[in-house]
Amino acid sequence: MYRGLFSRSTARVRFSCDSSVHALSRSFATASLPPDGTVVSETNRAEATLKRFWETVGISKRDDGLAVTLDMRALKTPSGNTLLLPRNKRLVATLIANEWENQETLLKPHALPMTSIASRAIDAFHDKKTCSEVRESLLNYLDTDTICFHHDDPPPLVELQHEYWDPLIEWAKSTFDIDIQVFTSILLHSQPAETRTKLDAILTEMNPWELAAMERATYVTKSFLIALALVKRHLTVEEAAVTAQVEVSSQIQRWGEVEDSHDVDFHDIRRQLGSAACLLTNSL
C-alpha cells in the first residue's frame, strides 16, 4: 500500500490501493451529454469554469493501472475516458497529480501540460485512423523542417547551424539509413520519397505514448527530426530546446532579448518538450 497525502495544509497526492478507494471512486463523465455534445468531464468542467472545485488530489491503483483522482474520483480526459496510466507510468501519474494540486483559485490551462499530453495519448492514439492521420501530418513537417533550411548569413547564425543542426542531420542519416536534403532557400522543397517511407515505418512502430510525445515535440519545435531525436533519447529536453531555437538565439545575440517574448518562449518550449520527455519515462 502506498501512502502520502497532500492536503491544503500539507501535501496532497495520495497513493492508495484500498478497496474503499475503488468503492468511493466513480466516473466524472456522465452517460448523458449536454446539448452541444461536449463530454461532461472534470477537465472540461475545469476549462469552462476556470475555478478549482476539488479539495484533494490523489493517485490510486485500480484495475491494471494508476488513476489520478480529484476528491477520490478518477480524473477523466476531455473525451470522457478514464485517465488510466500503466503501472510503469508512476512518474507521469505523480506529475499529473501535482499539476492539479498546484492549481489555486483560477485554473491555468497552460500549467497542465502532462494532463493534456497523457489525455491525447489515451483519447486519440488507440484509433488506427487517427494514428494514420497524425503520421501523415507529422511527415509533412519533413519538407519544412526547421533544421533543413540553412542560411549563409549572419556569421553567428551560420556557426549555430553547424554546431546544432549539422550533427543532428548526420545522426538521422546514419541511424535510420535515410537521405536528408539541406536547402538554402525558402522555395518549395521536399525530402526524398524513400526517406518519408522509412520514417513512416518508424512512426508506425511507436506506441500511443511515443506518438503523443512525437506529435507535441514536432509541433513545438517545427521540426520532425528534433522531435524524433527527443523521442529516441538522442537529445535531452535542453538540447532539443536549444537546437529548435537556433535562429532565435542568433537574433538575441545580434539585437538583444525582447522582454515578455523571448523569455516566455524560452520557458514554454522547455515545459512542452519536458512533458513529452516525461511521458516516455517508465518505472518499475
Side-chain angles (χ1 to χ4, degrees):
M1 180 184 300
Y2 298 98
R3 289 290 182 187
L5 177 65
F6 289 97
S7 66
R8 285 190 183 274
S9 58
T10 55
R12 210 185 275 168
V13 178
R14 174 181 298 171
F15 294 89
S16 175
C17 57
D18 292 344
S19 59
S20 59
V21 173
H22 296 272
L24 290 172
S25 300
R26 62 181 183 274
S27 172
F28 271 114
T30 63
S32 59
L33 299 179
D36 64 358
T38 303
V39 174
V40 179
S41 70
E42 293 308 42
T43 46
N44 290 335
R45 178 183 171 189
E47 182 177 353
T49 64
L50 295 181
K51 293 182 179 179
R52 178 167 181 149
F53 49 82
W54 61 94
E55 291 294 326
T56 61
V57 180
I59 300 173
S60 66
K61 288 183 178 180
R62 54 185 66 195
D63 299 327
D64 58 347
L66 298 172
V68 177
T69 61
L70 303 183
D71 295 337
M72 302 183 73
R73 300 176 183 178
L75 188 64
K76 293 284 188 176
T77 69
S79 294
N81 297 307
T82 299
L83 209 164
L84 188 66
L85 301 162
R87 292 287 179 90
N88 65 354
K89 296 291 184 184
R90 189 177 304 156
L91 174 61
V92 176
T94 302
L95 292 172
I96 291 174
N98 283 335
E99 284 183 346
W100 287 84
E101 173 54 32
N102 288 330
Q103 300 301 310
E104 296 298 336
T105 304
L106 297 179
L107 192 73
K108 301 174 183 176
H110 68 273
L112 298 169
M114 288 305 305
T115 302
S116 63
I117 194 172
S119 295
R120 176 66 172 162
I122 293 170
D123 284 345
F125 296 130
H126 290 87
D127 177 73
K128 291 184 178 180
K129 182 175 182 295
T130 301
C131 288
S132 177
E133 292 173 349
V134 170
R135 290 199 307 271
E136 181 71 17
S137 176
L138 295 180
L139 287 169
N140 287 338
Y141 272 80
L142 273 175
D143 295 334
T144 59
D145 197 299
T146 298
I147 72 171
C148 294
F149 288 82
H150 290 204
H151 302 271
D152 56 10
D153 190 68
L157 175 56
V158 174
E159 292 180 10
L160 289 172
Q161 290 171 170
H162 288 322
E163 181 178 358
Y164 293 103
W165 291 359
D166 289 352
L168 185 55
I169 291 172
E170 290 305 315
W171 168 81
K173 287 181 176 179
S174 60
T175 302
F176 305 107
D177 188 26
I178 56 178
D179 180 29
I180 298 293
Q181 297 293 315
V182 174
F183 311 108
T184 57
S185 74
I186 59 175
L187 298 177
L188 294 178
H189 298 284
S190 61
Q191 296 293 346
E194 184 180 2
T195 295
R196 188 184 180 98
T197 299
K198 288 183 177 180
L199 292 176
D200 184 40
I202 293 170
L203 293 179
T204 302
E205 295 175 354
M206 290 185 178
N207 61 42
W209 313 105
E210 292 171 326
L211 196 54
M214 183 72 193
E215 180 186 46
R216 173 162 291 183
T218 300
Y219 292 167
V220 168
T221 63
K222 306 297 187 294
S223 170
F224 181 98
L225 296 177
I226 294 176
L228 185 62
L230 180 71
V231 171
K232 293 300 182 180
R233 296 174 172 80
H234 176 70
L235 293 180
T236 65
V237 169
E238 180 62 23
E239 290 169 342
V242 171
T243 303
Q245 294 187 302
V246 158
E247 292 178 326
V248 174
S249 297
S250 174
Q251 293 170 5
I252 292 175
Q253 288 181 18
R254 189 174 186 182
W255 306 110
E257 183 177 270
V258 177
E259 188 176 359
D260 293 330
S261 177
H262 290 143
D263 54 340
V264 172
D265 291 342
F266 177 92
H267 293 292
D268 184 62
I269 190 172
R270 285 160 177 77
R271 177 169 56 249
Q272 298 300 331
L273 291 178
S275 66
C278 287
L279 188 69
L280 302 175
T281 59
N282 296 319
S283 58
L284 298 177

